[in-house]
Amino acid sequence: EKGEFGHFMLKEIYEQPRVIKNTLSGRISDRHVLEEAFGVKSKAIFDQVDNVQIVACGTSFHAGLITKYWLENIAKMPCQVDIASDYRYRNIIVRPGTLFVTISQSGETADTLAALRYAQELPYVGRLAICNVATSSLVRESDFSLLTMAGREIGVASTKAFTTQLVALLLMSLVLGRRNGLDEESEAAYIRDLHQLPDIVDKALAQDQAIQRLSIQFADKHHALFLGRGPQYPVAKEGALKLKEISYIHAEAYPAGELKHGPLALVDDKMPVIAVAPNDELLGKLKGNLAEVSARGGKLFVIADESAGFDDEVDYQLVRLPPVPEVLAPIVYTIPLQLLSYHVAILKGTDVDHPRNLAKSVTVE
Ligand code: F6R
């Protein structure tokens, strides 16, 4: 039931603090990931891993792209991320010590399942599924799984499944990190951050009205550009996908550093440009990129850390988020982008929960 919310999508966006808590529950203590959550077979497999191959589609693929940064930063491990429909038809070369990971809300996506079946024939050390449906084919056919506890997701546009996937994948990154030099104190610091996550997501949701006010400026647009750097690039991709899916506005995401290699030519005073700007070491670089957009008359919308030194100026419009531990920023900065696409779709009068031409679960190729 949608209850007080007009649409399942909005209800599911607002469920995120709770389902994130559910996804963490029983999986972390005060200082550690409780590795048993990955099942009895997992230890012997994790012990052999020094490389990770992730395969998924759509929004779940974006969760994979973010995980690559976590694996590099936390577990000091290389990671390859592929789209399932591409991976399944390639001649895949498997490095020794590689863990194969699929990510899927439904666990029934045809391409992801076909990729897993292909991977069964390849010399991976194990096959892990990050999935929201315990009884799904993907979970049944994988060596082990970690379930996201998002509850049933009804809106076609994936929201709470995505953020809970990220939580599960961060736990996986910590478990692998432990085996590769992540010390107890550092793990404990990440766990402290994770314990705060539901409250921080609540604070991001509190920006809903500010985002709704901005959405008015998108309703008559045909194009939009999303920018982010580092792990915020996949967040920007996810924001662009959400806007395309439910508001039918053509949206592209770019790593902000790529602007001058082509897309800057698109920028004029009719082009809305949305940037995600947490207070991280790439902030200075991002600000430089945004100045390039302003100089071309682009209409800038910045979702920024309130301590990131952005002030309300004529040059851009701002949504402020509280300071966020760096590791959690991709999860938290996704929330305003979900809300933005929702409000724009409402203004455009589209069928938010059932966008045209799309199915919730893509069980055919
Ligand atoms: C976008 C969306 C799709 C799915 C994709 C994979 O909002 O929902 O892009 O993420 O079809 O689906 P799952 O995760 O069920 O494998």
Side-chain angles (χ1 to χ4, degrees):
E1 251 321 297
K2 286 176 264 193
E4 65 193 280
F5 299 101
H7 296 90
F8 283 109
M9 182 184 179
L10 190 62
K11 172 172 177 271
E12 289 164 0
I13 290 172
Y14 272 87
E15 278 172 357
Q16 288 175 112
R18 182 170 60 78
V19 296
I20 285 171
K21 206 177 270 175
N22 292 346
T23 301
L24 288 169
S25 164
R27 277 100 180 252
I28 55 174
S29 67
D30 283 353
R31 298 173 52 86
H32 297 291
V33 180
L34 302 171
E35 225 181 277
E36 311 85 85
F38 287 86
V40 284
K41 285 194 235 158
S42 64
K43 184 178 182 310
I45 295 173
F46 282 139
D47 284 347
Q48 301 173 60
V49 176
D50 53 25
N51 181 42
V52 177
Q53 167 73 60
I54 296 177
V55 174
C57 300
T59 288
S60 299
F61 168 69
H62 295 156
L65 292 177
I66 291 166
T67 307
K68 181 184 173 84
Y69 291 86
W70 284 336
L71 283 169
E72 288 176 355
N73 292 337
I74 300 169
K76 315 283 181 225
M77 236 176 239
C79 172
Q80 302 81 52
V81 192
D82 285 293
I83 290 171
S85 58
D86 182 61
Y87 173 96
R88 63 180 289 195
Y89 293 114
R90 292 220 314 272
N91 183 25
I92 298 295
I93 316 297
V94 182
R95 261 184 47 175
T98 303
L99 174 68
F100 178 85
V101 181
T102 53
I103 310 169
S104 175
Q105 188 285 126
S106 62
E108 303 296 346
T109 299
D111 284 321
T112 308
L113 209 48
L116 170 63
R117 289 174 184 158
Y118 175 24
Q120 309 280 19
E121 320 276 298
L122 298 171
Y124 289 107
V125 298
R127 291 147 206 90
L128 166 63
I130 304 294
C131 189
N132 198 38
V133 180
T135 53
S136 63
S137 309
L138 201 71
V139 168
R140 265 187 284 118
E141 295 183 30
S142 295
D143 299 319
F144 63 126
S145 59
L146 187 67
L147 294 176
T148 48
M149 298 298 186
R152 187 156 169 236
E153 192 179 61
I154 294 171
V156 164
S158 186
T159 53
K160 61 177 181 167
F162 178 68
T163 48
T164 53
Q165 284 166 350
L166 289 173
V167 167
L169 289 157
L170 182 50
L171 297 181
M172 178 193 79
S173 305
L174 290 167
V175 163
L176 290 171
R178 248 186 210 171
R179 290 165 166 78
N180 215 28
L182 179 73
D183 60 56
E184 289 215 358
E185 279 315 310
S186 310
E187 181 178 351
Y190 286 122
I191 298 294
R192 270 197 303 278
D193 291 344
L194 272 169
H195 279 292
Q196 293 180 47
L197 180 58
D199 285 343
I200 302 174
V201 170
D202 250 331
K203 289 186 185 139
L205 288 169
Q207 293 305 309
D208 196 0
Q209 285 186 349
I211 295 159
Q212 186 172 11
R213 281 194 294 274
L214 293 188
S215 66
I216 298 163
Q217 298 174 65
F218 287 80
D220 63 340
K221 296 291 186 298
H222 297 288
H223 305 278
L225 211 52
F226 286 73
L227 301 178
R229 294 195 70 120
Q232 295 297 326
Y233 167 51
V235 171
K237 282 176 79 69
E238 174 58 10
L241 178 61
K242 288 286 95 95
L243 193 68
K244 279 185 265 217
E245 262 189 297
I246 59 167
S247 74
Y248 315 150
I249 293 175
H250 168 229
E252 297 260 11
Y254 269 94
E258 272 290 294
L259 266 184
K260 54 164 77 73
H261 301 287
L264 206 49
L266 290 170
V267 173
D268 62 14
D269 58 2
K270 286 176 204 62
M271 177 64 93
V273 180
I274 303 102
V276 268
N279 196 355
D280 59 21
E281 74 271 19
L282 294 170
L283 183 64
K285 301 269 179 212
L286 179 69
K287 284 182 173 173
N289 302 138
L290 299 187
E292 293 162 11
V293 171
S294 297
R296 272 88 188 169
K299 233 175 175 340
L300 260 182
F301 300 85
V302 187
I303 299 165
D305 189 308
E306 61 195 17
S307 66
F310 285 96
D311 302 307
D312 269 314
E313 284 177 21
V314 279
D315 276 4
Y316 44 75
Q317 296 172 62
L318 209 55
V319 173
R320 286 196 175 81
L321 293 187
V324 178
E326 191 169 333
V327 71
L328 302 182
I331 303 174
V332 178
Y333 278 72
T334 297
I335 311 291
L337 301 185
Q338 295 171 341
L339 289 167
L340 178 68
S341 65
Y342 174 78
H343 290 301
V344 175
I346 293 297
L347 289 171
K348 294 200 66 176
T350 63
D351 187 348
V352 172
D353 285 333
H354 307 100
R356 66 189 182 198
N357 310 340
L358 298 176
K360 178 67 184 158
S361 187
V362 184
T363 54
V364 291
E365 186 174 0

Coordinates of all heavy atoms in Angstrom, one line a residue, residues 117-182:
R117 N 25.6 -18.0 -15.4 CA 25.7 -19.4 -16.0 C 27.0 -19.5 -16.8 O 27.6 -20.6 -16.8 CB 24.4 -19.7 -16.8 CG 23.2 -19.9 -15.9 CD 21.9 -20.1 -16.6 NE 20.8 -20.2 -15.6 CZ 19.5 -19.9 -15.8 NH1 19.2 -19.6 -17.1 NH2 18.7 -20.0 -14.9
Y118 N 27.3 -18.5 -17.5 CA 28.6 -18.5 -18.2 C 29.7 -18.6 -17.2 O 30.7 -19.4 -17.4 CB 28.7 -17.2 -19.1 CG 29.9 -16.9 -19.8 CD1 30.8 -17.9 -20.2 CD2 30.2 -15.6 -20.2 CE1 32.0 -17.6 -20.9 CE2 31.4 -15.3 -20.9 CZ 32.3 -16.3 -21.2 OH 33.4 -16.0 -21.9
A119 N 29.6 -17.8 -16.1 CA 30.7 -17.8 -15.1 C 30.9 -19.1 -14.4 O 31.9 -19.4 -13.9 CB 30.4 -16.7 -14.1
Q120 N 29.8 -19.9 -14.4 CA 29.9 -21.3 -13.8 C 31.0 -22.1 -14.5 O 31.6 -23.0 -14.0 CB 28.6 -22.0 -13.9 CG 27.4 -21.3 -13.4 CD 27.2 -21.3 -11.8 OE1 28.2 -21.6 -11.1 NE2 26.0 -21.0 -11.4
E121 N 31.2 -21.8 -15.8 CA 32.1 -22.6 -16.6 C 33.5 -22.0 -16.5 O 34.5 -22.6 -17.1 CB 31.7 -22.5 -18.1 CG 30.3 -22.5 -18.4 CD 29.8 -24.0 -18.5 OE1 30.3 -24.7 -19.4 OE2 29.0 -24.4 -17.6
L122 N 33.7 -20.9 -15.8 CA 35.0 -20.2 -15.8 C 35.6 -20.4 -14.4 O 34.9 -20.6 -13.4 CB 34.8 -18.7 -16.1 CG 34.2 -18.4 -17.5 CD1 33.8 -16.9 -17.6 CD2 35.2 -18.8 -18.6
P123 N 37.0 -20.3 -14.4 CA 37.7 -20.7 -13.1 C 37.6 -19.6 -12.0 O 38.7 -19.2 -11.5 CB 39.1 -20.9 -13.6 CG 39.2 -20.1 -14.8 CD 37.9 -20.0 -15.5
Y124 N 36.5 -19.1 -11.7 CA 36.4 -18.2 -10.5 C 36.5 -18.9 -9.2 O 36.2 -20.1 -9.1 CB 35.0 -17.5 -10.5 CG 34.9 -16.5 -11.7 CD1 34.1 -16.7 -12.8 CD2 35.6 -15.3 -11.6 CE1 34.0 -15.8 -13.8 CE2 35.5 -14.3 -12.7 CZ 34.7 -14.6 -13.8 OH 34.6 -13.7 -14.8
V125 N 37.0 -18.2 -8.2 CA 37.1 -18.9 -6.9 C 35.7 -19.1 -6.2 O 35.5 -19.9 -5.3 CB 38.1 -18.2 -5.9 CG1 39.5 -18.1 -6.4 CG2 37.6 -16.8 -5.6
G126 N 34.7 -18.3 -6.7 CA 33.4 -18.4 -6.2 C 32.5 -17.4 -6.8 O 32.9 -16.5 -7.5
R127 N 31.2 -17.6 -6.6 CA 30.2 -16.7 -7.3 C 29.2 -16.3 -6.2 O 28.5 -17.1 -5.6 CB 29.4 -17.5 -8.4 CG 30.3 -17.8 -9.6 CD 30.0 -19.1 -10.3 NE 31.2 -19.6 -11.0 CZ 32.1 -20.4 -10.4 NH1 32.0 -20.9 -9.2 NH2 33.2 -20.8 -11.1
L128 N 29.2 -14.9 -6.0 CA 28.4 -14.3 -4.9 C 27.3 -13.5 -5.6 O 27.5 -12.8 -6.5 CB 29.3 -13.4 -4.1 CG 28.7 -12.4 -3.1 CD1 27.9 -13.1 -2.0 CD2 29.7 -11.5 -2.5
A129 N 26.1 -13.6 -5.0 CA 25.0 -12.8 -5.5 C 24.6 -11.8 -4.4 O 24.4 -12.2 -3.3 CB 23.8 -13.7 -5.8
I130 N 24.5 -10.5 -4.8 CA 23.9 -9.5 -3.9 C 22.5 -9.3 -4.5 O 22.3 -8.8 -5.6 CB 24.7 -8.2 -4.0 CG1 26.2 -8.4 -3.7 CG2 24.1 -7.1 -3.1 CD1 26.5 -8.8 -2.2
C131 N 21.5 -9.7 -3.7 CA 20.2 -9.8 -4.3 C 19.1 -9.4 -3.3 O 19.3 -9.6 -2.1 CB 20.0 -11.2 -4.9 SG 18.5 -11.4 -5.9
N132 N 17.9 -9.0 -3.8 CA 16.8 -8.6 -2.9 C 15.8 -9.7 -2.8 O 14.8 -9.5 -2.0 CB 16.2 -7.3 -3.4 CG 15.4 -6.6 -2.3 OD1 15.8 -6.6 -1.2 ND2 14.2 -6.1 -2.7
V133 N 15.9 -10.8 -3.5 CA 14.8 -11.8 -3.5 C 15.5 -13.2 -3.1 O 16.2 -13.8 -3.9 CB 14.1 -11.9 -4.8 CG1 13.0 -13.0 -4.8 CG2 13.5 -10.5 -5.2
A134 N 15.2 -13.6 -1.9 CA 15.8 -14.9 -1.4 C 15.5 -16.1 -2.3 O 16.4 -17.0 -2.4 CB 15.3 -15.1 0.0
T135 N 14.4 -16.1 -2.9 CA 14.0 -17.3 -3.6 C 14.3 -17.2 -5.1 O 13.9 -18.1 -5.9 CB 12.5 -17.5 -3.5 OG1 11.8 -16.3 -3.9 CG2 12.1 -17.9 -2.1
S136 N 15.1 -16.2 -5.5 CA 15.3 -16.0 -6.9 C 16.3 -17.0 -7.5 O 17.1 -17.7 -6.8 CB 15.9 -14.6 -7.1 OG 17.1 -14.5 -6.5
S137 N 16.2 -17.1 -8.9 CA 17.2 -18.0 -9.6 C 18.6 -17.6 -9.3 O 19.5 -18.5 -9.2 CB 16.9 -17.9 -11.1 OG 15.5 -18.1 -11.4
L138 N 18.9 -16.3 -9.3 CA 20.3 -15.9 -9.1 C 20.8 -16.4 -7.8 O 22.0 -16.9 -7.7 CB 20.3 -14.3 -9.2 CG 21.7 -13.7 -9.5 CD1 22.1 -14.0 -10.9 CD2 21.7 -12.2 -9.2
V139 N 20.1 -16.2 -6.7 CA 20.5 -16.7 -5.4 C 20.7 -18.2 -5.4 O 21.7 -18.7 -4.9 CB 19.5 -16.2 -4.3 CG1 19.8 -16.9 -3.0 CG2 19.6 -14.7 -4.1
R140 N 19.7 -18.9 -6.0 CA 19.7 -20.4 -6.0 C 21.0 -20.9 -6.7 O 21.6 -21.9 -6.3 CB 18.5 -20.9 -6.6 CG 17.4 -21.3 -5.6 CD 16.2 -22.0 -6.2 NE 15.4 -21.1 -6.9 CZ 15.1 -21.1 -8.3 NH1 15.6 -22.0 -9.0 NH2 14.3 -20.2 -8.8
E141 N 21.3 -20.2 -7.8 CA 22.4 -20.8 -8.7 C 23.8 -20.3 -8.3 O 24.8 -20.7 -8.9 CB 22.1 -20.4 -10.1 CG 20.8 -21.2 -10.6 CD 20.5 -20.9 -12.1 OE1 21.4 -20.7 -12.9 OE2 19.3 -21.0 -12.4
S142 N 23.9 -19.3 -7.3 CA 25.2 -18.8 -6.9 C 25.7 -19.7 -5.8 O 25.0 -20.4 -5.1 CB 25.1 -17.4 -6.4 OG 24.7 -16.5 -7.5
D143 N 27.1 -19.6 -5.6 CA 27.7 -20.3 -4.5 C 27.2 -19.8 -3.1 O 27.1 -20.6 -2.2 CB 29.2 -20.3 -4.6 CG 29.7 -20.9 -5.9 OD1 29.2 -21.9 -6.3 OD2 30.6 -20.3 -6.5
F144 N 27.1 -18.5 -3.0 CA 26.6 -17.9 -1.8 C 26.0 -16.5 -2.1 O 26.2 -16.0 -3.2 CB 27.7 -17.8 -0.7 CG 28.9 -17.0 -1.0 CD1 29.3 -16.0 -0.1 CD2 29.7 -17.2 -2.2 CE1 30.5 -15.2 -0.4 CE2 30.8 -16.4 -2.4 CZ 31.2 -15.4 -1.5
S145 N 25.3 -15.9 -1.1 CA 24.7 -14.7 -1.4 C 24.6 -13.8 -0.1 O 24.7 -14.3 1.0 CB 23.2 -14.9 -1.9 OG 22.5 -15.7 -0.9
L146 N 24.4 -12.5 -0.4 CA 24.1 -11.6 0.8 C 22.8 -10.9 0.3 O 22.8 -10.2 -0.7 CB 25.2 -10.6 1.1 CG 24.9 -9.8 2.3 CD1 24.9 -10.7 3.6 CD2 26.0 -8.7 2.5
L147 N 21.7 -11.0 1.1 CA 20.5 -10.4 0.7 C 20.4 -9.0 1.1 O 20.8 -8.6 2.2 CB 19.3 -11.2 1.3 CG 19.1 -12.6 0.8 CD1 18.0 -13.3 1.6 CD2 18.8 -12.7 -0.7
T148 N 19.9 -8.1 0.2 CA 19.5 -6.8 0.6 C 18.2 -6.9 1.2 O 17.3 -7.6 0.8 CB 19.5 -5.9 -0.6 OG1 18.7 -6.5 -1.7 CG2 20.9 -5.6 -1.2
M149 N 17.9 -6.1 2.3 CA 16.7 -6.3 3.0 C 15.8 -5.1 2.7 O 15.2 -4.4 3.6 CB 17.0 -6.3 4.5 CG 17.8 -7.5 4.9 SD 16.9 -9.0 4.5 CE 18.0 -10.3 5.2
A150 N 15.6 -4.8 1.4 CA 14.9 -3.6 0.9 C 13.4 -3.9 1.0 O 12.6 -2.9 1.0 CB 15.3 -3.3 -0.5
G151 N 13.0 -5.1 1.2 CA 11.5 -5.4 1.1 C 11.1 -5.3 -0.4 O 11.9 -4.9 -1.2
R152 N 9.9 -5.7 -0.7 CA 9.4 -5.7 -2.0 C 9.5 -4.3 -2.6 O 9.1 -3.3 -2.0 CB 8.0 -6.2 -2.1 CG 7.5 -6.4 -3.5 CD 6.4 -7.4 -3.6 NE 5.9 -7.3 -4.9 CZ 4.6 -7.1 -5.3 NH1 3.7 -7.0 -4.3 NH2 4.3 -7.0 -6.5
E153 N 10.1 -4.2 -3.8 CA 10.2 -2.9 -4.5 C 9.2 -2.9 -5.7 O 9.3 -3.8 -6.6 CB 11.6 -2.6 -5.0 CG 11.8 -1.2 -5.5 CD 13.3 -1.0 -6.0 OE1 13.7 -1.6 -7.0 OE2 13.9 -0.1 -5.4
I154 N 8.2 -2.0 -5.7 CA 7.1 -2.1 -6.7 C 7.4 -1.0 -7.8 O 7.2 -1.3 -8.9 CB 5.8 -1.9 -6.0 CG1 5.5 -3.1 -5.0 CG2 4.7 -1.7 -7.0 CD1 4.3 -3.0 -4.1
G155 N 7.8 0.2 -7.4 CA 8.1 1.2 -8.4 C 9.1 0.6 -9.4 O 10.1 0.0 -9.0
V156 N 8.8 0.8 -10.7 CA 9.8 0.3 -11.7 C 11.2 0.9 -11.5 O 12.2 0.3 -11.7 CB 9.2 0.5 -13.1 CG1 10.3 0.3 -14.2 CG2 8.1 -0.5 -13.4
A157 N 11.2 2.2 -11.2 CA 12.5 2.9 -11.0 C 13.1 2.4 -9.7 O 12.4 2.6 -8.6 CB 12.3 4.4 -11.0
S158 N 14.2 1.8 -9.7 CA 14.8 1.3 -8.5 C 15.4 2.3 -7.6 O 16.1 3.2 -8.1 CB 15.9 0.3 -8.9 OG 16.4 -0.4 -7.8
T159 N 15.0 2.3 -6.3 CA 15.5 3.3 -5.4 C 16.1 2.6 -4.2 O 17.3 2.6 -4.0 CB 14.4 4.3 -5.0 OG1 13.3 3.5 -4.5 CG2 14.0 5.2 -6.1
K160 N 15.2 2.1 -3.3 CA 15.7 1.5 -2.1 C 16.5 0.2 -2.4 O 17.4 -0.2 -1.6 CB 14.6 1.2 -1.1 CG 13.5 0.2 -1.7 CD 12.4 -0.1 -0.7 CE 11.4 -1.1 -1.2 NZ 10.6 -1.7 -0.2
A161 N 16.3 -0.5 -3.5 CA 17.1 -1.6 -3.8 C 18.6 -1.2 -4.0 O 19.5 -1.9 -3.6 CB 16.6 -2.4 -5.0
F162 N 18.7 -0.1 -4.7 CA 20.0 0.4 -5.0 C 20.8 0.8 -3.8 O 22.0 0.4 -3.6 CB 19.9 1.7 -5.9 CG 21.2 2.4 -6.3 CD1 22.1 1.7 -7.1 CD2 21.5 3.6 -5.8 CE1 23.3 2.4 -7.5 CE2 22.7 4.3 -6.2 CZ 23.6 3.6 -7.0
T163 N 20.2 1.6 -2.9 CA 21.0 2.0 -1.7 C 21.3 0.8 -0.8 O 22.4 0.8 -0.1 CB 20.3 3.2 -0.9 OG1 18.9 2.8 -0.8 CG2 20.4 4.5 -1.7
T164 N 20.4 -0.2 -0.7 CA 20.7 -1.3 0.1 C 21.8 -2.2 -0.5 O 22.6 -2.8 0.1 CB 19.5 -2.1 0.5 OG1 18.7 -2.5 -0.7 CG2 18.5 -1.4 1.4
Q165 N 21.8 -2.3 -1.9 CA 22.9 -3.0 -2.6 C 24.2 -2.3 -2.2 O 25.2 -3.1 -1.9 CB 22.7 -2.8 -4.1 CG 21.7 -3.7 -4.7 CD 21.3 -3.4 -6.1 OE1 21.8 -2.3 -6.7 NE2 20.5 -4.2 -6.8
L166 N 24.2 -1.0 -2.2 CA 25.5 -0.3 -1.8 C 25.9 -0.7 -0.4 O 27.1 -0.9 -0.2 CB 25.3 1.2 -2.0 CG 25.3 1.6 -3.5 CD1 24.9 3.1 -3.5 CD2 26.6 1.4 -4.2
V167 N 25.0 -0.8 0.5 CA 25.3 -1.1 1.9 C 25.9 -2.5 1.9 O 27.0 -2.8 2.5 CB 24.1 -1.1 2.8 CG1 24.3 -1.7 4.1 CG2 23.7 0.4 3.0
A168 N 25.3 -3.5 1.2 CA 25.8 -4.9 1.2 C 27.2 -4.9 0.5 O 28.1 -5.7 1.0 CB 24.8 -5.7 0.4
L169 N 27.4 -4.1 -0.5 CA 28.6 -4.2 -1.2 C 29.8 -3.5 -0.4 O 30.9 -3.9 -0.5 CB 28.5 -3.5 -2.6 CG 27.7 -4.3 -3.6 CD1 27.0 -3.4 -4.7 CD2 28.5 -5.4 -4.2
L170 N 29.4 -2.5 0.4 CA 30.4 -2.0 1.3 C 30.8 -3.0 2.4 O 32.0 -3.1 2.7 CB 29.8 -0.7 2.0 CG 30.7 0.1 2.9 CD1 32.1 0.4 2.3 CD2 30.0 1.4 3.3
L171 N 29.8 -3.8 2.9 CA 30.2 -4.9 3.8 C 31.1 -5.9 3.1 O 32.1 -6.3 3.7 CB 28.9 -5.6 4.3 CG 27.9 -4.7 5.1 CD1 26.7 -5.6 5.5 CD2 28.6 -4.1 6.3
M172 N 30.8 -6.2 1.9 CA 31.7 -7.1 1.2 C 33.1 -6.5 1.0 O 34.1 -7.2 1.2 CB 31.2 -7.4 -0.2 CG 32.0 -8.3 -1.1 SD 31.6 -8.3 -2.8 CE 32.3 -6.8 -3.4
S173 N 33.2 -5.2 0.7 CA 34.5 -4.6 0.6 C 35.3 -4.6 1.9 O 36.5 -4.8 1.9 CB 34.3 -3.1 0.2 OG 33.6 -3.0 -1.0
L174 N 34.6 -4.5 3.0 CA 35.3 -4.6 4.3 C 35.8 -6.0 4.6 O 36.9 -6.2 5.1 CB 34.3 -4.1 5.4 CG 34.0 -2.6 5.4 CD1 32.8 -2.3 6.3 CD2 35.2 -1.8 5.8
V175 N 35.0 -7.0 4.3 CA 35.3 -8.3 4.5 C 36.6 -8.7 3.7 O 37.5 -9.4 4.2 CB 34.1 -9.3 4.2 CG1 34.6 -10.7 4.0 CG2 33.1 -9.1 5.3
L176 N 36.6 -8.2 2.5 CA 37.8 -8.5 1.7 C 39.0 -7.6 2.1 O 40.1 -8.1 2.1 CB 37.5 -8.2 0.2 CG 36.5 -9.2 -0.5 CD1 36.1 -8.7 -1.8 CD2 37.2 -10.6 -0.5
G177 N 38.7 -6.4 2.6 CA 39.7 -5.5 3.1 C 40.5 -6.2 4.3 O 41.7 -6.1 4.3
R178 N 39.7 -6.7 5.2 CA 40.3 -7.4 6.3 C 41.4 -8.4 6.0 O 42.3 -8.7 6.7 CB 39.2 -8.3 6.9 CG 38.7 -7.9 8.2 CD 37.8 -9.0 8.6 NE 36.8 -8.4 9.4 CZ 35.7 -9.0 9.8 NH1 35.4 -10.2 9.4 NH2 34.9 -8.4 10.6
R179 N 41.3 -9.0 4.8 CA 42.2 -10.0 4.4 C 43.4 -9.4 3.6 O 44.3 -10.1 3.1 CB 41.5 -11.0 3.5 CG 40.6 -11.9 4.2 CD 39.7 -12.6 3.3 NE 39.0 -13.7 4.0 CZ 37.9 -13.5 4.8 NH1 37.5 -12.3 5.0 NH2 37.3 -14.6 5.3
N180 N 43.3 -8.1 3.5 CA 44.3 -7.4 2.6 C 44.8 -6.1 3.3 O 45.0 -5.1 2.6 CB 43.7 -7.1 1.3 CG 44.7 -7.3 0.1 OD1 45.6 -8.0 0.2 ND2 44.4 -6.5 -0.9
G181 N 45.0 -6.2 4.6 CA 45.7 -5.1 5.3 C 44.8 -4.1 6.0 O 45.4 -3.1 6.6
L182 N 43.5 -4.2 5.9 CA 42.6 -3.3 6.6 C 42.7 -3.6 8.1 O 42.3 -4.7 8.5 CB 41.2 -3.4 6.1 CG 40.2 -2.5 6.8 CD1 40.4 -1.0 6.4 CD2 38.8 -3.0 6.5

